């Protein structure tokens, strides 16, 4: 799981006897383990500049720092042709909608839910070929856009999508770029997101076990064909979901 690059995850041992509070920038970081053997599991944002950063352990103001070296990662470039130019160059009215939607999703991704032992062992929500890996630098119709913050899995329209781990439905919505979307809160700011769905069969607030059907693969939002965009977030940062697949068995 440990891959200390932008978009990666740092797993840092902390020997305190009581459960430590850990922060990266202003965001609280997930901690698992037991007295004397804690591990902070910190997401490193794709926008983090490689070099030395630090985790803060303890209450803000009285924290000690644990340095952490972030290595560079060269993600490949992917060119995508989109029929609907408005999904590449949104109209002024769209921009306002996009701004509101981005803020709404960011708030959910940055929400701290207390939970002692979140499942870090995710299961892939749908079987299929990976058509777009995490981190790709994306060029839409010749124009550079945000890097790819998730994993694209190709599956026929209507294929059942399941929850990657136990959690609670934090948000259901229909968004300009992401299409019909479900966000699941797994506790301690581990969050997964499922986009471009054709339909959704869960409601906000609903508690799910790992593998609960949540909806079906579709092509809503900015998508060139039916696929699931699957995102994972730690302390508000998009991380490579592949790093969390079967994590406990590594
Ligand atoms: Zn995607």
């Amino acid at each position: 799981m440990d891959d200390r690059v932008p978009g990666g995850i740092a797993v840092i041992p902390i020997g305190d006897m009581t459960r430590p509070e850990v922060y990266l920038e202003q965001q609280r970081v997930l901690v698992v383990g037991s007295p004397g053997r804690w591990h902070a599991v910190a997401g490193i944002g794709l926008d983090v500049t490689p070099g030395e950063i630090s985790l803060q352990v303890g209450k803000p103001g009285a924290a000690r720092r644990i340095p952490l070296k972030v290595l560079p990662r060269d993600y490949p470039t992917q060119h995508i042709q989109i029929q609907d130019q408005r999904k590449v160059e949104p109209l002024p009215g769209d921009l306002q909608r996009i701004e509101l939607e981005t803020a709404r999703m960011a708030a959910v991704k940055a929400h701290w839910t207390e939970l002692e032992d979140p499942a870090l062992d995710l299961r892939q929500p749908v079987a299929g070929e990976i058509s777009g890996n995490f981190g790709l630098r994306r060029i839409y119709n010749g124009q550079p856009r945000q890097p790819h913050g998730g994993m694209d899995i190709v599956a026929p329209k209507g294929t059942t999508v399941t929850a990657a781990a136990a959690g609670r439905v934090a948000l259901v919505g229909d968004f300009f770029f992401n299409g019909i979307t479900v966000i699941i809160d797994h506790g301690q700011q581990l969050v997964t997101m499922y986009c471009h769905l054709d339909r959704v069969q869960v409601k906000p607030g609903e508690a799910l076990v790992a593998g609960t059907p949540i909806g079906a693969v579709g092509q809503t939002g900015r998508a060139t064909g039916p696929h699931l965009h699957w995102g994972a977030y730690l302390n508000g940062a998009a991380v490579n979901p592949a790093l969390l697949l079967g994590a406990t068995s590594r």
Side-chain angles (χ1 to χ4, degrees):
M1 197 198 309
D2 193 80
D3 189 17
R4 299 176 185 188
V5 298
I9 297 172
V11 183
I12 311 282
I14 297 173
D16 297 17
M17 289 317 286
T18 55
R19 179 182 280 269
E21 263 183 45
V22 181
Y23 292 83
L24 178 56
E25 303 295 337
Q26 304 304 315
Q27 295 290 326
R28 192 157 168 198
V29 170
L30 183 147
V31 171
V32 289
S34 54
R37 303 171 65 174
W38 305 105
H39 285 90
V41 181
I44 304 167
L46 268 170
D47 57 350
V48 168
T49 307
E52 196 167 289
I53 61 172
S54 62
L55 296 181
Q56 296 135 61
V57 183
K59 299 276 183 197
R64 66 181 197 273
R65 287 182 176 272
I66 299 182
L68 164 59
K69 191 171 180 203
V70 177
L71 301 171
R73 168 71 45 90
D74 237 346
Y75 290 107
T77 299
Q78 183 182 38
H79 289 265
I80 296 175
Q81 285 300 319
I82 296 277
Q83 294 288 332
D84 183 1
Q85 184 66 14
R86 193 172 152 190
K87 289 280 192 283
V88 180
E89 292 176 303
L91 303 174
D94 298 331
L95 291 172
Q96 198 181 3
R97 175 183 165 189
I98 292 162
E99 199 176 312
L100 289 169
E101 290 178 353
T102 306
R104 195 173 155 212
M105 287 185 278
V108 172
K109 291 166 191 168
H111 177 78
W112 181 267
T113 303
E114 206 60 64
L115 183 73
E116 202 138 291
D117 207 12
L120 285 166
D121 188 357
L122 304 187
R123 56 171 84 178
Q124 196 169 310
V126 68
E129 190 195 325
I130 310 298
S131 63
N133 282 313
F134 175 87
L136 292 166
R137 299 156 191 266
R138 284 194 149 167
I139 317 277
Y140 287 94
N141 299 359
Q143 299 189 40
R145 288 293 180 266
Q146 293 278 327
H148 192 218
M151 173 193 283
D152 287 343
I153 308 165
V154 176
K157 184 179 165 182
T159 307
T160 299
V161 174
T162 60
R168 195 169 287 278
V169 179
L171 184 148
V172 174
D174 186 0
F175 300 105
F176 187 82
F177 291 124
N178 291 340
I180 298 176
T181 294
V182 173
I183 298 183
I184 303 176
D185 177 355
H186 303 287
Q188 289 198 37
Q189 238 170 279
L190 169 61
V191 168
T192 54
M193 178 164 81
Y194 311 75
C195 304
H196 311 306
L197 298 172
D198 189 56
R199 58 175 176 79
V200 170
Q201 62 196 78
V202 290
K203 292 191 167 55
E206 205 174 318
L208 311 174
V209 297
T212 303
I214 59 168
V217 171
Q219 191 182 338
T220 54
R222 185 175 62 189
T224 55
H227 74 282
L228 177 71
H229 170 98
W230 180 41
Y233 298 81
L234 280 167
N235 47 274
V239 297
N240 185 355
L243 295 171
L244 293 163
L245 283 173
T248 54
S249 58
R250 287 185 189 183

